[in-house]
Amino acid sequence: MASIKIRNICKQYGSGANAHTALSNVSMDIPDGGFVALLGPSGSGKTTILRAIAGLETLDGGSIEIDGVTVSGPNTHLPPEQRRVAVVFQNHALWPQMTVAENVMFPLLVTHKRSAEMEQRVRDALANVDLEPLAERYPDQLSGGQKQRVALARAMVGNPQVILFDEPLASLDVELRRDMQRLIARSRSPQTAIVYVTHNQEEALALADRVAVLSGGKIHQLDTPLALSQEPATRMVASFVGGRNILQAKVLRSVAPGTVLLEFNGYTFTARCHHQPTETTAWVSVQPSAFACAAQDDGLGMQVDYVFFQGDSHLVEGRCVAGENNFLTVRLPLSEKPAVGSQCQLRITDAWVLPENAA
Ligand code: ADP
Ligand code: MG
């Protein structure tokens, strides 16, 4: 069993005038077998959280429990080798003088003598990542994707309670990423909790049960991928996850519980909300794919600045014709390609009102 309980952890680097707060009051629970992704821009504190769980950083406040045991807390710091935590880094960190099989066996040799059972475990771990035929190769005889699979086998071989991934796919090309995503999904077990760091929202939403969106060392939202996509809690989450448009609209009236009628630049539309807004204006987020072309003159007018072909659609960037010229990013079907420099009329098919206290 391997649940992780993180309570109000704080971390500062440096001191005095050079002090820098990397984490402030971060809390989360990861259940047995759970898979949480930490998603956020560079410098938001993702790696620091992983290092704190692994025992590579001491805390300035708060505590971390793994399987009911406090591993970090006031006056407590269990060293990394006493935590059953494995880490997979972006740069795979294999030992160049060891074969693939020796690299995978290495964590076992730290605590046990070499045995036939151990060799079987290494073979099983390599089979799990489809690498058995390459067991006797050296790291410099492997591709980037193969090296990363060795790192994954090495992380899994000791049946860790926790596997931490730090941007494991960042240096791989698109096809290899999908292969590794399959292997990572396959590596899940009810005994292992996974924490997976990425700045790639597509990856976080595809793999994790729950995603924590971080910015400036704080969690903005910790939710299921569906809830993050449909009901972002803050403007930061709305724009970072799914590149949503954020508009300030006038509140007209409630239509039904959870639905409100709004007006933006003379265009009237409905949006989903948790609570009926109490103010006269509301921040609304609209996914690029939640726009459609409108009949002439009865929509939201947009001046088209750029059109990017996306294979199955066009991503169109432009500015609102009326009002404050807000920028919009809109995904339109291939059949509706607008010309650069032209004006088009849009409808909003789905929108979400951000909670009123949202940052
Ligand atoms: P992320 O992994 O999200 O990119 P990090 O956790 O690595 O972010 O870093 C969070 C913040 O802490 C950043 O502003 C970074 O510059 C700072 N930081 C990280 N490690 C150190 C360190 N060893 N010394 C000083 N500052 C650090
Ligand atoms: Mg990092």
Side-chain angles (χ1 to χ4, degrees), residues 133-195:
L134 305 187
E136 298 314 315
R137 287 216 192 158
Y138 287 87
D140 66 0
Q141 298 169 308
L142 302 176
S143 69
Q146 289 166 340
K147 284 184 200 165
Q148 201 52 295
R149 275 148 63 191
V150 179
L152 180 60
R154 185 178 58 184
M156 287 164 60
V157 76
N159 289 326
Q161 290 178 306
V162 177
I163 305 184
L164 306 174
F165 289 95
D166 197 351
E167 313 231 9
L169 312 186
S171 59
L172 302 182
D173 58 39
V174 177
E175 237 170 277
L176 285 175
R177 275 177 186 222
R178 189 63 77 196
D179 282 348
M180 271 300 282
Q181 285 184 12
R182 283 192 204 98
L183 289 174
I184 289 166
R186 222 161 79 183
S187 73
R188 292 188 61 166
S189 97
Q191 285 81 40
T192 310
I194 294 179
V195 186

Side-chain angles (χ1 to χ4, degrees), residues 201 205 224-232 241 244 272 285 287:
Q201 51 108 0
L205 299 178
T224 62
L226 187 65
L228 275 186
S229 312
Q230 297 293 309
E231 302 180 352
V241 181
R244 282 170 163 263
R272 295 173 292 115
S285 72
Q287 269 174 333

